[in-house]
Amino acid sequence: MNIASPLVAPLSPELIARFTAIVGARHALTDPAELEAYVTEERNLYRGHSPLVLRPGSTAEVAAICKLAHEARVALVPQGGNTGLVGGQTPLNGEVVISLKRMDAIREVDLASNTMTAEAGVILQTAQEKAASVDRLFPLSLGAQGSCTIGGNLSTNAGGTAALAYGLARDMALGVEVVLADGRVMNLLSKLKKDNTGYDLRDLFIGAEGTLGIITAATLKLFPKPRAVETAFVGLQSPDAALKLLGIARAEAAGSLTSFELIAEIALDFSVRHAHNRDPLQARYPWYVLIELSSMRDDARGALEAILERGLEDGIVDDAAIAASLQQQEAFWKLREEISPAQKPEGGSIKHDVSVPVAAVPAFIDEANAAVTRLMPGIRPVPFGHLGDGNIHYNVSQPVGADKAEFLARWHEVNSVVFAIVLRHGGSISAEHGIGVMKRDELPGVKDPTAMALMRSIKQMLDPHGIMNPGKVV
């Protein structure tokens, strides 16, 4: 996907040498073969180029890089695990890449405060495992958790499957350490839940996608580790039935409802056929729900059974399977998590990460299905996602036998149709993946004009030379 971004001046050998001196020759990459992993991304939608990848090992080194870049007017692109889906981490016009992967220390775990202080390069799964090792839970959970990083999660304000109960990445961070464009370090690594001392600057940088500064560390919230986790896979007839089941689940489970995932039959079919997953139910149904309850007591199983019994009595649930083991729980989640990669063998896929009010999800899906089918007969909608918080990954696969390149060339045309329906329902065109370059040009049309102007003013104030991830977000 070709995206126009600001022009970036070529980097002189002298500047390359000065940047290299900051991190050491081993951690300054210039060989095209070594740069390859940093200039493209998993879906190969975006391909960039860079003369230099720097791999700092400390906040001090990041600060020195930014200070030199500010003085020399050198554009920078921060990068975590390179798992982003909107091109925010790609050096599209020859920017210097700052990879935070070496900054992977967990600086402290404070059980009294229920906090973990982790550097930006810590892999999300590592943070989860560290929390579990001290009988705590770090609940952020994503399909890419084995490779995405804490810095990237915060920079994009990642969501995931547990957002229904725990919120987004922003809600799981008490404080951050940030290097500004001119090299100054702002240390807001607070463990305090109550700190009413002026503007909450932390939230400026969470979700800013590296356009205002580089997050180098964060103080994360830990939670009690659940004693009981119960999971069910449910077959039903429609998103409207799923919405009714969600109401029952909220009433029966109260605060123990942690995930409520909606899956279309075509999505399950792709995951079963292409990712070699097992269908949990004996028959096929038009729609499915994956429900998970987590409790500090041993009452999660009873609550889950009560939800399903009520659903069956009310004619909402057609069939259901409750995981009988940890292995079966993992199999249910594997089926859900592999929906996106399972679309690849079906050809081109145009993706939307959108949210609407929970009550509007059934209407949104119906209207979007009808609209994209009118636009392109034979197109195959593959909607799935987090019904509990209104976040639907409204993906559409190409018509069978269609030309992939021709289909993907209509990406923004399909976006326009879907986004118009999202906005009619009071929704958002970006629920948890960010703006990057993919949605940069659409943002001014959907954002309040005053808010958009204020965002640009903040960008100008914190990054007057425009060196921080230029061409992204604003």
Side-chain angles (χ1 to χ4, degrees), residues 226-276:
R227 297 291 176 254
V229 178
E230 297 289 345
T231 312
F233 206 89
V234 182
L236 30 70
Q237 292 298 310
S238 66
D240 187 62
L243 187 62
K244 291 174 182 175
L245 186 62
L246 174 61
I248 294 172
R250 283 174 164 160
E252 294 286 346
S256 63
L257 180 62
T258 48
S259 296
F260 199 96
E261 300 288 297
L262 180 68
I263 302 170
E265 180 185 7
I266 188 174
L268 178 133
D269 180 58
F270 287 175
S271 187
V272 168
R273 286 195 293 116
H274 299 306
H276 308 295

Side-chain angles (χ1 to χ4, degrees), residues 152-184:
N153 297 152
L154 292 172
S155 291
T156 56
N157 191 27
T161 56
L164 171 62
Y166 297 100
L168 306 182
R170 173 179 281 114
D171 302 301
M172 301 179 201
L174 286 170
V176 292
E177 176 185 84
V178 179
V179 176
L180 302 181
D182 60 7
R184 288 179 294 166

Side-chain angles (χ1 to χ4, degrees), residues 13-299:
E14 292 78 13
L15 272 174
I16 290 177
R18 291 177 67 186
F19 280 119
T20 298
I22 294 171
V23 298
R26 285 183 55 204
H27 304 297
L29 310 180
T30 57
D31 187 307
E34 293 181 310
L35 295 174
E36 179 65 19
Y38 300 88
V39 300
T40 188
E41 41 82 46
E42 181 182 354
R43 293 188 296 175
N44 206 31
L45 282 177
Y46 301 98
R47 171 167 287 275
H49 60 98
S50 175
L52 178 65
V53 171
L54 298 172
R55 303 176 66 246
S58 68
T59 300
E61 289 183 358
V62 176
I65 291 168
C66 289
K67 183 178 180 181
L68 176 55
H70 181 76
E71 293 170 354
R73 310 293 196 267
V74 173
L76 306 173
V77 173
Q79 194 176 99
N82 196 14
T83 60
L85 298 174
V86 292
Q89 78 279 20
T90 306
L92 295 171
N93 289 273
E95 301 93 337
V96 171
V97 174
I98 303 182
S99 170
L100 282 300
K101 285 185 177 180
R102 285 184 62 222
M103 294 185 60
D104 60 356
I106 295 176
R107 296 180 184 176
E108 181 189 32
V109 175
D110 184 341
L111 296 182
S113 298
N114 271 326
T115 61
M116 174 194 302
T117 302
E119 291 184 341
V122 172
I123 300 296
L124 173 56
Q125 186 171 321
T126 302
Q128 295 169 342
E129 292 170 351
K130 181 63 175 179
S133 73
V134 293
D135 201 34
R136 295 293 189 273
L137 171 72
F138 182 60
L140 187 62
S141 181
L142 312 172
Q145 60 195 31
S147 53
C148 65
T149 63
I150 293 298
N153 297 152
L154 292 172
S155 291
T156 56
N157 191 27
T161 56
L164 171 62
Y166 297 100
L168 306 182
R170 173 179 281 114
D171 302 301
M172 301 179 201
L174 286 170
V176 292
E177 176 185 84
V178 179
V179 176
L180 302 181
D182 60 7
R184 288 179 294 166
V185 178
M186 183 173 66
N187 188 335
L188 298 176
L189 290 174
S190 172
K191 301 177 186 179
L192 302 176
K193 291 187 177 179
K194 294 182 177 180
D195 182 4
N196 226 353
T197 52
Y199 305 138
D200 190 349
L201 299 176
R202 171 200 64 169
D203 278 352
L204 271 180
F205 299 91
I206 298 177
E209 302 182 48
T211 60
L212 302 179
I214 301 174
I215 295 173
T216 50
T219 305
L220 307 173
K221 297 179 186 177
L222 301 181
F223 297 83
K225 188 176 180 181
R227 297 291 176 254
V229 178
E230 297 289 345
T231 312
F233 206 89
V234 182
L236 30 70
Q237 292 298 310
S238 66
D240 187 62
L243 187 62
K244 291 174 182 175
L245 186 62
L246 174 61
I248 294 172
R250 283 174 164 160
E252 294 286 346
S256 63
L257 180 62
T258 48
S259 296
F260 199 96
E261 300 288 297
L262 180 68
I263 302 170
E265 180 185 7
I266 188 174
L268 178 133
D269 180 58
F270 287 175
S271 187
V272 168
R273 286 195 293 116
H274 299 306
H276 308 295
N277 291 313
R278 181 177 176 273
D279 192 332
L281 304 179
Q282 294 299 313
R284 281 290 173 92
Y285 299 94
W287 291 88
Y288 299 86
V289 164
L290 178 58
I291 307 175
E292 189 157 278
L293 273 58
S294 304
S295 176
M296 293 304 298
R297 301 187 299 273
D298 293 327
D299 59 353

Side-chain angles (χ1 to χ4, degrees), residues 359-434:
V361 168
F364 160 71
I365 291 175
D366 284 347
E367 292 171 26
N369 286 355
V372 298
T373 302
R374 283 195 302 271
L375 178 69
M376 199 183 308
I379 201 170
R380 294 175 291 166
V382 189
F384 64 97
H386 322 300
L387 179 60
D389 54 38
N391 175 196
I392 299 300
H393 299 298
Y394 189 80
N395 296 353
V396 286
S397 286
Q398 69 179 56
V400 175
D403 181 87
K404 181 178 178 180
E406 291 179 2
F407 174 74
L408 293 178
R410 301 183 70 179
W411 188 295
H412 289 290
E413 187 181 355
V414 176
N415 283 172
S416 296
V417 169
V418 174
F419 290 164
I421 299 168
V422 169
L423 296 175
R424 271 206 311 274
H425 286 286
S428 169
I429 67 169
S430 179
E432 62 179 2
H433 293 166

